[in-house]
Amino acid sequence: MYVCSCFGITEDQVRAHAAAGACTPRQIAATSGAGTDCGSCVRRIQGLLGRPCPRREPAAAAPATEPAAVPTTARPLPAAPAPALSPLPTAV
């Protein structure tokens, strides 16, 4: 089953990365890219690693020993709509 739809990463691939030594979602992201685009798979990756997802706190309230959240890739804004055209004159 797919864990990360953005990069096509499966549960088996996450487990293989974990068996190779990746023990955090950030390490999985570094080796596979999973969790670096939309981020919706991070909780599932944490579940596969056998740890519950910690509640996300504001950066100022987080302890200094806790790693920062996995950054996500910024998506470009959609293009502005084309300006409206004035109606063509009609023949009388």
Side-chain angles (χ1 to χ4, degrees):
M1 175 185 256
Y2 285 99
V3 172
C4 177
S5 299
C6 298
F7 292 99
I9 305 299
T10 65
E11 289 180 1
D12 290 338
Q13 289 171 307
V14 170
R15 287 186 185 108
H17 287 296
C23 59
T24 65
R26 182 175 286 194
Q27 291 170 337
I28 298 290
T31 58
S32 68
T36 61
D37 194 27
C38 76
S40 66
C41 60
V42 174
R43 289 183 186 270
R44 179 72 181 132
I45 292 168
Q46 287 175 320
L48 290 170
L49 294 173
R51 287 186 308 265
C53 183
R55 245 181 73 192
R56 186 177 276 184
E57 299 292 333
T65 58
E66 185 176 313
V70 175
T72 58
T73 304
R75 295 177 186 255
L77 295 174
L85 299 176
S86 58
L88 295 174
T90 56
V92 219

